Amino acid sequence: MNQGQTIFSQVIDFLPWKKFRQCVNRYNGNHRIRSFTCYNQFLCMAFAQLTYRESLRDIECCLRAMREKLYHMGIRGKVSRSTLADANEVRDWRIYSDFAQILIHEARRLYAEDDFGLELKETVYALDSSTIDLCLSVFPWARFRKTKAAVKLHTLLDLRGDIPTFIWITDGKVHDVNVLDHLIPEPGAIYIMDRAYLHFHRLYQMHQCSAIFVTRSKSNTGLRRLYSQKVDKNTGVRYDQIVLLTGFYAKKEYPEKLRRIKYFDAEKGRTYVFLTNQFTLPALTIAELYRYRWRVEIFFKWIKQHLRIKKFFGTSENAVKTQIWIAISTYVLIAIMKKRLKIDLTLYTILQILSISLFEKKPIYQVLTDNDYTNKITSGHIQLKLFDS
C-alpha cells in the first residue's frame, strides 16, 4: 500500500465506495448538498467509532486539530458539530443500513469456510436481542416503560465469523418473537433461539420453509411422548423423545411431530429441555448447538463495550439508527480487513491499535503486526474468547 496514506485512509480503502454511492443515490442522500456529503458524514462517524469519540464536540475538536490531514483522509467538507448533527437528523438512515448489508454479504463470503466449533456443513445462526437504555425525556419516541426509554437490537448472528446477518432496530416494547415475522428462513440453515421465540405458528412457518430450529421448551408446554430413543446418560443427555403438542391451539399451530431432548449440564448444574424439528443429528450435538447460542450474547457485550452505541450523538430516531448502522458497518469493516490481510489478532486488539494510529502514515499491515504495538495494547487487558483468531 502507499506509505503516504494515513492508516485511516488505508482502512477506508477496504470499503466498496461505488456501492456506497448507489445506496446514497437510492435515497437521494446528497440532494441539494454542497459540501458535507453522505460520504463525509460516514467518514466522520466511522472515525468516531474507531477512536472512541464521546460527543459531537469531541469529534469536531479532534478532527479540527488534524485539519491539514483531513483531505488525505478523504474528508473534504468542513467538519462542525452543527453540520454533523443536521446530517444525522435529516439524511435517511436506510442509506447506511443498505450499505451495512453490502458489507455483511462480503464478510460472510470471506468467512464462509471458517469452523465455529462443530463439524457441520449447514449454516448456523444464533438469534437474540439486546436492549439499549435511553432517557425518556430525551428520546420520547423510544418508549419502553412509564419512566424509561430504550431501543432494541434484534440480531441474527452467523456463527461462522460471528457476522450479524440481520439486524432489526425497534423501540424497547417490541417483543422478541416479532422478529420471526421479518426473517426469511434459509432452507437447511439451523436457527438457535431461547424460550422468548417459542411461538408454534411462527416455528411451523420456519419448518415449512425447510429451516431447522433449536429452542428451549417452557415448563407449561403441553407435550405427549410418542416414543423414546436410546441415549447415553454419561454424556449428559437424559432423554431423546419424539413428541406431539397437546394444547388445543398449539396443535393447530404446529400439527407435526417435534423432538424433545433433556440435557444436564454438569459444569453449571442446570437442566435444559430442547425442542427441535431436527430428527437426525445426535442428541448431544443438539445440546452443543444451543451452547453456541451464547456467542450472540458475547457479541452484544462486545459491541456495547467497544463501539459507540450507548451514547448517541443525536436524539431523533433517524440519528440513533444512523449511528447504530454505521457502528455495525465499522465492526464488519474491521472483520473484512482482518480476513483480507490475514491478521492474526483479535478484533479488540485491532481496534485498540487503530484508535491510536489513524493519523500515522505507515503501511497498515506493518502497524498491525508490529510487536511493540501489540504488546502495548494487549498488556493488562482480558480479551473475549469469541474473537480469538
Side-chain angles (χ1 to χ4, degrees):
M1 290 186 177
N2 183 0
Q3 295 188 19
Q5 284 186 295
T6 61
I7 298 296
F8 183 76
S9 298
Q10 294 173 62
V11 172
I12 295 303
D13 282 345
F14 286 93
L15 295 174
W17 288 118
K18 182 178 180 180
K19 294 183 178 178
F20 179 79
R21 288 193 294 270
Q22 292 173 352
C23 295
V24 173
N25 294 335
R26 187 177 303 140
Y27 300 102
N28 294 319
N30 287 331
H31 180 61
R32 302 185 71 178
I33 300 299
R34 293 184 178 179
S35 58
F36 196 75
T37 64
C38 292
Y39 174 80
N40 294 144
Q41 180 192 5
F42 183 92
L43 292 182
C44 289
M45 294 291 286
F47 173 83
Q49 294 292 334
L50 291 171
T51 57
Y52 308 120
R53 300 300 100 196
E54 296 290 342
S55 65
L56 291 173
R57 184 182 295 275
D58 194 5
I59 298 171
E60 179 189 60
C61 290
C62 188
L63 289 178
R64 286 191 174 183
M66 297 291 179
R67 187 175 302 168
E68 69 280 0
K69 296 184 179 180
L70 295 187
Y71 184 88
H72 301 287
M73 293 173 62
I75 302 174
R76 304 291 189 264
K78 181 182 178 182
V79 179
S80 66
R81 62 181 183 275
S82 60
T83 303
L84 185 55
D86 290 341
N88 290 341
E89 294 286 328
V90 174
R91 295 178 194 173
D92 201 321
W93 62 269
R94 292 177 296 177
I95 295 171
Y96 309 103
S97 171
D98 288 4
F99 188 55
Q101 294 299 328
I102 292 170
L103 296 179
I104 286 168
H105 178 77
E106 173 64 15
R108 290 190 67 194
R109 185 183 64 81
L110 293 173
Y111 285 87
E113 302 301 323
D114 277 25
D115 179 25
F116 69 93
L118 291 177
E119 294 182 1
L120 294 174
K121 295 181 180 179
E122 296 85 356
T123 304
V124 182
Y125 298 106
L127 178 62
D128 207 349
S129 70
S130 182
T131 301
I132 301 173
D133 294 332
L134 301 171
C135 176
L136 183 60
S137 61
V138 179
F139 301 88
W141 54 269
R143 287 193 169 273
F144 183 36
R145 294 177 183 145
K146 287 185 178 179
T147 59
K148 194 175 182 180
V151 293
K152 188 177 284 189
L153 271 63
H154 307 264
T155 303
L156 186 69
L157 193 74
D158 187 344
L159 296 187
R160 299 186 194 278
D162 300 301
I163 304 299
T165 62
F166 173 86
I167 294 177
W168 184 37
I169 304 171
T170 67
D171 60 58
K173 292 193 299 182
V174 176
H175 194 278
D176 291 356
V177 77
N178 290 286
V179 73
L180 295 179
D181 297 330
H182 297 267
L183 286 179
I184 301 176
E186 181 182 327
I190 301 174
Y191 294 82
I192 312 169
M193 303 168 280
D194 65 14
R195 286 179 292 195
Y197 301 91
L198 189 62
H199 188 282
F200 291 110
H201 174 66
R202 292 179 170 97
L203 292 179
Y204 190 58
Q205 288 180 325
M206 293 183 69
H207 175 70
Q208 289 180 310
C209 293
S210 300
I212 299 166
F213 60 83
V214 177
T215 186
R216 286 178 63 190
S217 177
K218 295 180 180 178
S219 59
N220 62 348
T221 303
L223 295 164
R224 177 169 62 89
R225 179 174 62 88
L226 297 180
Y227 56 89
S228 298
Q229 304 181 93
K230 290 183 179 181
V231 298
D232 180 1
K233 292 190 177 181
N234 292 326
T235 63
V237 178
R238 293 295 180 257
Y239 59 66
D240 182 1
Q241 302 172 341
I242 305 302
V243 297
L244 282 174
L245 290 161
T246 60
F248 177 78
Y249 293 106
K251 283 193 299 185
K252 285 188 172 182
E253 292 176 348
Y254 201 108
E256 297 189 27
K257 297 175 183 178
L258 285 166
R259 186 182 183 189
R260 178 172 62 180
I261 297 168
K262 186 175 184 179
Y263 175 77
F264 176 71
D265 189 338
E267 292 182 8
K268 297 182 179 179
R270 295 184 61 184
T271 299
Y272 300 90
V273 180
F274 305 115
L275 289 176
T276 181
N277 62 337
Q278 220 294 339
F279 296 93
T280 57
L281 287 176
L284 184 60
T285 302
I286 299 296
E288 288 294 325
L289 272 171
Y290 191 82
R291 187 192 300 271
Y292 282 92
R293 191 196 70 83
W294 289 101
R295 291 172 66 160
V296 71
E297 300 278 0
I298 300 175
F299 167 77
F300 286 133
K301 181 179 180 180
W302 193 92
I303 63 172
K304 285 182 176 181
Q305 287 179 345
H306 305 301
L307 297 177
R308 304 299 95 183
I309 62 168
K310 295 182 73 175
K311 293 183 179 180
F312 291 98
F313 305 144
T315 59
S316 70
E317 182 177 2
N318 192 82
V320 169
K321 289 185 176 181
T322 294
Q323 185 170 333
I324 291 174
W325 279 113
I326 293 179
I328 296 298
S329 296
T330 305
Y331 168 85
V332 179
L333 168 63
I334 300 304
I336 291 172
M337 184 183 72
K338 169 182 163 69
K339 196 69 172 179
R340 286 186 177 172
L341 294 180
K342 299 180 181 179
I343 301 295
D344 190 23
L345 295 173
T346 64
L347 293 185
Y348 170 78
T349 302
I350 293 174
L351 281 172
Q352 291 294 316
I353 293 173
L354 292 178
S355 70
I356 61 172
S357 62
L358 285 184
F359 290 111
E360 294 188 20
K361 291 186 176 181
K362 292 182 179 180
I364 191 168
Y365 185 84
Q366 176 184 331
V367 171
L368 293 177
T369 55
D370 188 318
N371 288 330
D372 290 337
Y373 265 118
T374 306
N375 293 334
K376 185 187 300 183
I377 294 299
T378 57
S379 61
H381 292 282
I382 299 175
Q383 300 183 37
L384 297 173
K385 291 183 180 180
L386 169 61
F387 298 99
D388 287 344
S389 54

